[in-house]
Amino acid sequence: MSTTLTIGTRGSELALRQTELVEEQLSSTSPGLTLTRRIIRTLGDDRTDVPLPAVAAASGIIDKGVFIKEIEQALAEGTIDCAVHSLKDMPGELDPRFELAAVLPRADIHDVLILKQGCDINSLCLGTSSVRRIELAKAYWGGTARCRDLRGNVPTRLRKLAADPGLDGIIIARAGLARLGYTSPTFTIDGVTLTVHDLPRDSFPPAVGQGIIAIEIRKGDRRALDILAPLNHPGTMTCARTEREFLRLLGADCSTPVGAYARIVEGTIVLRVLHISPHGIPRRIVARGPQNDPESVAALAIKLLADLRH
């Protein structure tokens, strides 16, 4: 049996840091294993000039595949044994050739608002490429905040914010920010002081899977599964299954303005959802069900959401 595991990943600073976290755990659980890393550029990395929905539409890639297609191709070809992803970048329904072998314990799920000092909170211009964040921002600030498209990895977005006098702030995931070492409530980029503010998770809920590092393998690859299974965090996997099944049933993609997160409370899954209707109306639901049946909780959430439309 081979003693080498080849890991595929994107090349951004955050993707590499997430891969390092996986490698650190593997060094502990499989000390005799030799780890190699293959960096793979994706369409989402190359096309930063237009919003993500436009990239997907132009390429014919369904859902969020712009960040994983090339990596999955390498996985299918056998040039890598597994792939490390941000779970929120993965489509709600995986290609049947693949499966999730493990997810690491979930990090902070919050979106954060990063602002320059002295900006007018009642008339913000914010940078984001996420349809979810754009629509949630309209609802959260009552229409007073404007959003401009802003693409790029975390350090790039921070530098763009610092350099652009027309931008007051950006909205970003705290998990990615923290994994790159930005843990202080205030820090400086290129001489510009920025402050970090948590956005409330119930009125500004995260993307499905936000804060979760996922490891994907070829379906039925017993060797890879045996190596990676010890890294899996069962509670996080249950929440991931709930959220992703909800996303699949909703038929959502990167152009759907919906945030959702699941938690396990005393053996019960609690799934909270905020969906913005085509008319800009926020629809909130909470679905609860047994911890051992995440799919039923997701189905209930879909039913509750549908009931609000009538």
Side-chain angles (χ1 to χ4, degrees), residues 12-234:
S12 71
E13 291 181 53
L14 179 56
L16 295 177
R17 176 57 187 148
Q18 292 179 162
T19 301
E20 287 174 4
L21 293 172
V22 171
E23 291 169 341
E24 289 168 7
Q25 291 208 23
L26 282 170
S27 295
S28 175
T29 58
S30 301
L33 190 67
T34 299
L35 301 174
T36 62
R37 186 190 300 176
R38 184 180 174 199
I39 297 173
I40 300 169
R41 287 194 66 83
T42 69
L43 181 62
D45 297 313
D46 289 333
R47 291 298 307 273
T48 60
D49 54 324
V50 293
L52 283 176
V55 176
S59 63
I61 296 175
I62 298 172
D63 204 353
K64 299 182 180 182
V66 293
F67 285 120
I68 70 168
K69 180 182 178 181
E70 291 79 3
I71 300 176
E72 285 190 333
Q73 182 176 344
L75 191 57
E77 293 170 350
T79 56
I80 60 175
D81 299 306
C82 65
V84 175
H85 304 290
S86 293
L87 187 61
K88 71 174 183 176
D89 290 339
M90 302 185 75
E93 188 168 12
L94 283 184
D95 184 308
R97 296 174 295 171
F98 311 113
E99 63 181 306
L100 292 183
V103 293
L104 271 55
R106 192 173 208 164
D108 193 321
I109 67 170
H110 286 86
D111 270 347
V112 294
L113 175 66
I114 302 179
L115 289 177
K116 295 175 181 174
Q117 289 186 325
C119 60
D120 183 359
I121 196 68
N122 295 312
S123 182
L124 293 173
C125 181
L126 305 174
T128 179
S129 63
S130 162
V131 172
R132 172 185 62 87
R133 287 172 175 153
I134 291 169
E135 294 303 318
L136 288 178
K138 290 177 184 177
Y140 186 72
W141 281 285
T144 63
R146 295 176 293 113
C147 290
R148 281 173 37 193
D149 185 67
L150 185 71
R151 292 280 313 281
N153 58 37
V154 172
T156 296
R157 279 179 278 174
L158 291 172
R159 289 193 297 269
K160 286 181 177 180
L161 171 61
D164 189 339
L167 273 181
D168 298 309
I170 60 175
I171 304 172
I172 204 166
R174 178 174 284 282
L177 197 65
R179 285 174 182 144
L180 290 175
Y182 297 99
T183 56
S184 171
T186 303
F187 55 90
T188 301
I189 298 291
D190 297 336
V192 177
T193 300
L194 305 174
T195 57
V196 183
H197 310 269
D198 274 339
L199 291 166
R201 64 188 183 190
D202 288 340
S203 52
F204 213 105
V208 162
Q210 187 156 302
I212 301 175
I213 298 172
I215 310 172
E216 184 182 24
I217 63 172
R218 289 180 293 276
K219 195 162 191 174
D221 186 342
R222 176 52 57 181
R223 173 182 174 269
L225 186 60
D226 287 345
I227 291 171
L228 294 164
L231 275 61
N232 187 55
H233 186 264

Side-chain angles (χ1 to χ4, degrees), residues 213-271:
I213 298 172
I215 310 172
E216 184 182 24
I217 63 172
R218 289 180 293 276
K219 195 162 191 174
D221 186 342
R222 176 52 57 181
R223 173 182 174 269
L225 186 60
D226 287 345
I227 291 171
L228 294 164
L231 275 61
N232 187 55
H233 186 264
T236 300
M237 181 62 88
T238 296
C239 291
R241 285 174 57 192
T242 307
E243 295 172 21
R244 287 172 54 75
E245 177 65 3
F246 167 76
L247 196 69
R248 185 188 73 82
L249 293 173
L250 186 63
D253 58 22
C254 57
S255 65
T256 305
V258 62
Y261 70 95
R263 297 174 62 214
I264 299 173
V265 182
E266 297 180 351
T268 296
I269 300 171
V270 181
L271 175 63

